[in-house]
Amino acid sequence: MTTETECLFCKMVRGEINPQRVYEDEHLLAFRDINPQAPVHILLIPKQHIATLNDLQNKDLAGRLLTQVGTIATQENIAEDGYRTVINCNQNSGQEVFHLHLHILGGRRLNWPPG
Ligand code: 5GP
Ligand code: ZN
């Protein structure tokens, strides 16, 4: 288990690491993925340390996360053409960072189903 002190995304929230921020408010932070898989690849996270989607209990926060997606997509000019949101959870999904994050991918035609 990653502690909040060690957690990469918590370090971003605290300003110890500075990703390219695209949105921030009291509860949420969004920034560009360091290894983009599409022309637009943004990670949207709750500021609170929540390890995986299995640990998300707060309905208000869940609502904040989901409703922010469309606003970011509009800001990034991918809302109309379309985009994909992904939340990887645990080993079988390939989750690498154990601080809940929602991927927003767009700017190109995306394959389905994912591998
Ligand atoms: P996961 O596989 O856990 O769903 O996705 C983790 C994502 O975090 C990956 O897409 C990876 O490229 C991104 N990532 C890992 N380290 C950093 C970093 O230091 N900065 C940024 N901006 N993204 C990162
Ligand atoms: Zn964290």
Side-chain angles (χ1 to χ4, degrees), residues 8-9 12 17 19-20 31-37 41 43 87-88 93-98 101 103:
L8 178 68
F9 290 174
M12 293 177 180
I17 295 175
Q20 204 181 332
F31 53 89
R32 298 198 190 280
D33 197 292
I34 204 169
N35 183 21
Q37 300 302 310
H41 187 173
L43 300 177
I87 299 176
N88 291 320
S93 75
Q95 182 177 3
E96 286 180 349
V97 178
F98 286 83
H101 53 282
H103 296 256

Side-chain angles (χ1 to χ4, degrees), residues 7 10 49 99:
C7 171
C10 283
H49 182 82
H99 178 130

Side-chain angles (χ1 to χ4, degrees), residues 9 12-13 17-34 40-47 64-65 68-73 75-76 99-104:
F9 290 174
M12 293 177 180
V13 170
I17 295 175
N18 275 301
Q20 204 181 332
R21 285 168 159 75
V22 298
Y23 177 79
E24 184 163 13
D25 65 25
E26 190 188 342
H27 304 280
L28 306 176
L29 174 65
F31 53 89
R32 298 198 190 280
D33 197 292
I34 204 169
V40 176
H41 187 173
I42 288 165
L43 300 177
L44 173 62
I45 69 170
K47 286 191 167 177
R64 285 177 190 278
L65 274 167
Q68 196 56 44
V69 173
T71 309
I72 292 172
Q75 194 178 295
E76 293 291 320
H99 178 130
L100 179 62
H101 53 282
L102 192 152
H103 296 256
I104 302 170

Side-chain angles (χ1 to χ4, degrees), residues 3 6 15-16 22 32 36 40 57-58 60 75 94 104-105 107 113-114:
T3 69
E6 296 165 340
E16 295 165 22
V22 298
R32 298 198 190 280
V40 176
Q57 304 282 340
N58 184 330
D60 180 57
Q75 194 178 295
I104 302 170
L105 296 142

